[in-house]
């Protein structure tokens, strides 16, 4: 294990490469991160998942720096949520739907930029009829009985109601991102 000051982080970009809009090639994204002096940069699929290492230890600062540089380089705003490996592991290990043996192809994780208001979450839960969700810190675990494409509980829905930035990943992606981060962290 390398330098103890170097930590592993996962950044999740919101709204790139969706429907042919706001295109960002992963090679360009990797180069951008390396230009910010981040180390061991790894991308996973085209939706903006980047695992990297740095000695900076403030997720909010990293989010702001990455988002600002994306806007400078690509000319459009890209919200970025950053989690350190410890936070991501906590999210990965505490999905309550896994304990209920629910279909993982219908499981999603919504990463939020801040902790939401519990009262608002409770009001949303009362209105949700088909899909179920559980709040855990600044994360929402979502089970979509008919798939994410048919749910009303989208990023935009949560952003509008909770007044936070939200970005969603399927459970298979969350698992793969965690594996990449864990492997990098163990080096």
């Amino acid at each position: 294990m390398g330098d103890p000051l170097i930590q592993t982080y996962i950044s999740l970009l919101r709204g790139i490469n969706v429907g042919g809009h706001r295109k960002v090639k992963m090679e360009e994204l990797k180069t951008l991160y390396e230009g910010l002096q981040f180390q061991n940069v790894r991308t996973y699929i085209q939706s903006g998942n980047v695992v990297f290492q740095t000695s900076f230890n403030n997720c909010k600062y990293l989010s702001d720096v990455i988002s600002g540089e994306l806007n400078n380089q690509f000319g459009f705003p890209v919200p970025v949520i950053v989690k350190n490996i410890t936070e991501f592991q906590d999210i990965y290990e505490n999905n309550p739907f896994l304990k209920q043996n629910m279909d993982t192809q219908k499981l999603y994780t919504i990463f939020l930029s801040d902790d939401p208001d519990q009262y608002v979450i409770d009001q949303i839960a009362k209105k949700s009829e088909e899909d179920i969700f559980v709040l855990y810190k600044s994360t929402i675990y979502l089970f979509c009985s008919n798939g994410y494409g048919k749910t009303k509980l989208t990023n935009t829905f949560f952003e509008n109601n909770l007044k936070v930035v939200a970005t969603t990943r399927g459970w298979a992606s969350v698992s793969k991102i965690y594996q990449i981060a864990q492997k990098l962290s163990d080096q």
Side-chain angles (χ1 to χ4, degrees), residues 39 42 46 54 71 85 90 93 103 131 136 160 182:
Q39 301 168 12
R42 311 277 193 278
Q46 298 296 315
T54 184
N71 194 16
I85 185 68
D90 184 45
E93 291 177 349
D103 183 354
D131 302 323
Y136 180 73
N160 289 340
Q182 191 64 46

Side-chain angles (χ1 to χ4, degrees), residues 150-176:
K150 295 185 179 180
T151 188
K152 294 177 184 175
L153 303 177
T154 64
N155 287 331
T156 303
F157 174 84
F158 283 110
E159 287 176 334
N160 289 340
N161 284 281
L162 302 176
K163 309 301 181 217
V164 298
V165 173
T167 189
T168 302
R169 300 296 186 271
W171 189 250
S173 290
V174 171
S175 297
K176 184 62 178 174

Side-chain angles (χ1 to χ4, degrees), residues 46-185:
Q46 298 296 315
S47 59
N49 308 296
V50 185
V51 178
F52 63 97
Q53 293 181 315
T54 184
S55 59
F56 290 106
N57 64 0
N58 183 310
C59 291
K60 175 73 171 121
Y61 171 79
L62 290 169
S63 295
D64 291 345
V65 166
I66 296 165
S67 184
E69 190 60 28
L70 286 162
N71 194 16
N72 289 341
Q73 186 162 332
F74 296 105
F76 50 82
V78 179
V80 179
I81 295 174
V82 175
K83 302 286 184 188
N84 67 39
I85 185 68
T86 304
E87 292 171 306
F88 206 86
Q89 180 177 2
D90 184 45
I91 292 164
Y92 180 78
E93 291 177 349
N94 284 290
N95 186 331
F97 297 126
L98 294 179
K99 296 173 183 132
Q100 299 171 29
N101 293 320
M102 297 178 102
D103 183 354
T104 57
Q105 293 183 341
K106 296 179 180 182
L107 285 181
Y108 298 85
T109 305
I110 303 171
F111 297 90
L112 307 174
S113 59
D114 295 292
D115 292 343
D117 183 303
Q118 185 63 50
Y119 175 79
V120 177
I121 286 287
D122 292 343
Q123 297 309 305
I124 293 170
K126 290 176 186 176
K127 295 177 186 174
S128 179
E129 296 173 10
E130 292 182 14
D131 302 323
I132 54 174
F133 68 91
V134 174
L135 174 67
Y136 180 73
K137 299 179 182 177
S138 61
T139 304
I140 294 173
Y141 300 105
L142 175 64
F143 180 80
C144 298
S145 54
N146 296 312
Y148 190 74
K150 295 185 179 180
T151 188
K152 294 177 184 175
L153 303 177
T154 64
N155 287 331
T156 303
F157 174 84
F158 283 110
E159 287 176 334
N160 289 340
N161 284 281
L162 302 176
K163 309 301 181 217
V164 298
V165 173
T167 189
T168 302
R169 300 296 186 271
W171 189 250
S173 290
V174 171
S175 297
K176 184 62 178 174
I177 294 164
Y178 176 65
Q179 289 171 8
I180 293 167
Q182 191 64 46
K183 185 175 180 181
L184 186 59
S185 191

